[in-house]
Amino acid sequence: MTVLAHGVTASDANDELTRDALAVLQPGFEGTTAPAWLLRQVGEGLTAVGLFGRNIASPEQLAALTAQLRAERDDVLVAIDEEGGDVTRLEVRGGSSFPGNLALGAVDDTALTRDVARELGRRLAQCGVNLNWAPSADVNSNPDNPVIGVRSFGADTHLAARHTAAYVEGLQAAGVAACTKHFPGHGDTNVDSHHALPRIDVDLDTLVARELVPFRAAIEAGTKAVMSAHILVPALDPTRPATLSPQILTGLLRKELGYEGLIVTDGMEMNAIAGTYGIERGSVLAIAAGADAICVGGGLADEATVLRLRDALVAAVREGALPAERLADAAARVRALAAWTRQARAAAAPGAPLEGSAPGIGLAAARRAVAVSGTAAPVSAPYVATLAPVANIAVGDETPWGVAAELAALVPGTGSGVFPEGATAADILAAAGSRTVVAVVRDAHRHPWMAQALDALVAARPDTVVVEMGVPRAEPRGAFHIATHGASRVCGRAAAEVIVGA
């Protein structure tokens, strides 16, 4: 056997290289229990696992799943995309018990944001989750953004910055590492990176004054991880998206902003990367650029994917395309965060829920976020018409939204229907009959068919109650207009209470 410097054998070096390649992966899997292949890979060096809605049936089941993983490796990172609000995995089938970022930004109480994030973190920690791919620090400066929207604290840079910092502090106080995203800022895009490569054409001064401010705040607040965006920003790098750019990840984030924590990529099977570079080459380029962890598994969730990526990284080192030192540094950062989470888990006792009111802090926050225009009489046996656009992939179409179920629980005889793209006011009126219509929309300003149906509906029935559960942009329509600033379950409940109390 060949002996290298310091008594290390070639076999040892190869084993270490393979372990480092496994350590930088954050794969997903199918099912509500850990498959044998995943446990085997964790035993061989895999240090992180990503959870999605398909992996979660209940808090008890999730706790059992994470215990399975920790039986193989006590410090394994168990990551989840749990933003609260519209993007929930913990409550994917019923809707979140927390309002999302836009609702918290609308209230603009950083103490509330901190407490909401801490309570969300407490619930995650109780289930054994210790890394949350949240919060979104994106400044939603483009109102037509198809993928950020209510996931942002708002269009004001400094509001987004102070709430990003508060969220990071609250989440990490519960012993769950925050992963602030999507660096260097996804708010000024009009393309969803799940489908194609977005491009932000603004000058460097604008980026510094707008996009980077919330990330600076997150770094100062001690965020343990930052997620890169699959976006092209020519002012920073004219050729490569941020996830693959040494100028952006190493030059800007590491050197200029002084960030020392973990850099995680957004999902590598998203078409912005997979459709242009491929996930193997993309993963190698990401690590070489300065990323430390590869997120994959939203769509590709099997052992073959893990082995393909592991082998691609190992081959890149052996061929000289990826310095061994860079891969080793990335793996060390992953292991350092894993060690932090183990210590934080011991230090931050989950404790009792934070009660902002009798029903809980999430509902209390959602109630405070509601904005009402106009007046209306209390409704009896209304008809709830939900004008439903196609959900973006980050939100998904599994999670229910709207006010129909919540209003039906408060008002007996409530009817309801869902009206997809192409529906008209005539369709809604035919279904509603003589009943008062409660029209529920989501980003009406981004969907011409929805805006047209809503205008015609209000013209025909001036007593129509309009509930906007997306980003409120247009002038309030109807005699009674409610903006919830999000579509989570508690936002729907808060709107229903306002309708009943009208």
Side-chain angles (χ1 to χ4, degrees), residues 382-386 402-405 407-408 414-419 436-440 499:
Y383 184 83
V384 180
T386 303
V403 304
L407 192 56
T414 296
S416 64
V418 176
F419 297 84
T436 299
V437 176
V438 177
V440 184
I499 294 168

Side-chain angles (χ1 to χ4, degrees), residues 39 53 154 175 207 220 249 252 264 291 300 333 338 366 405 458 461 493:
L39 296 175
L207 287 169
E220 290 173 5
L249 297 188
L252 176 58
V264 183
L300 300 172
R333 290 182 190 273
V458 170
R461 293 277 188 86
R493 172 72 184 196

Side-chain angles (χ1 to χ4, degrees), residues 236-411:
L236 299 174
D237 187 331
T239 59
R240 286 188 179 176
T243 294
L244 312 183
S245 169
Q247 293 97 309
I248 294 174
L249 297 188
T250 299
L252 176 58
L253 183 54
R254 288 278 187 230
K255 294 181 180 178
E256 290 190 38
L257 300 186
Y259 176 65
E260 292 296 330
L262 190 76
I263 300 176
V264 183
T265 72
D266 207 344
M268 295 301 286
E269 66 267 57
M270 293 164 63
N271 209 43
I273 298 297
T276 52
Y277 294 86
I279 64 166
E280 292 97 332
R281 180 169 177 243
S283 296
V284 170
L285 290 174
I287 298 295
D292 305 304
I294 301 296
C295 176
V296 67
L300 300 172
D302 54 23
E303 186 173 24
T305 299
V306 173
L307 297 179
R308 280 166 56 198
L309 295 181
R310 180 201 68 184
D311 292 348
L313 292 166
V314 169
V317 171
R318 289 175 177 162
E319 293 164 5
L322 173 64
E325 297 79 7
R326 170 77 275 270
L327 181 60
D329 173 64
R333 290 182 190 273
V334 174
R335 294 176 186 128
L337 180 57
W340 178 88
T341 60
R342 182 166 54 185
Q343 295 168 355
R345 188 167 79 241
L354 295 169
E355 294 294 338
S357 68
I361 193 169
L363 180 54
R367 287 169 173 160
R368 291 179 63 185
V370 171
V372 177
S373 301
T375 57
V379 297
S380 59
Y383 184 83
V384 180
T386 303
L387 283 66
V390 176
N392 68 57
I393 293 175
V395 173
D397 57 10
E398 292 179 279
T399 306
W401 67 280
V403 304
E406 299 295 337
L407 192 56
L410 299 175
V411 182

Side-chain angles (χ1 to χ4, degrees), residues 14 29 55 93 127 137 153 166 171 178 195 242 255 262 272 291 312 348 364 390 397 471 475:
N14 289 335
F29 61 97
N55 304 123
R93 291 168 185 83
C127 296
F153 289 110
L171 191 64
H195 301 300
K255 294 181 180 178
L262 190 76
V390 176
D397 57 10
V471 178
E475 288 296 315

Side-chain angles (χ1 to χ4, degrees), residues 40-68:
R40 181 170 59 252
Q41 293 302 328
V42 170
E44 292 181 5
L46 188 68
T47 311
V49 173
L51 299 180
F52 297 86
R54 63 180 179 242
N55 304 123
I56 301 169
S58 69
E60 295 76 18
Q61 167 270 325
L62 179 55
L65 168 58
T66 59
Q68 254 191 304

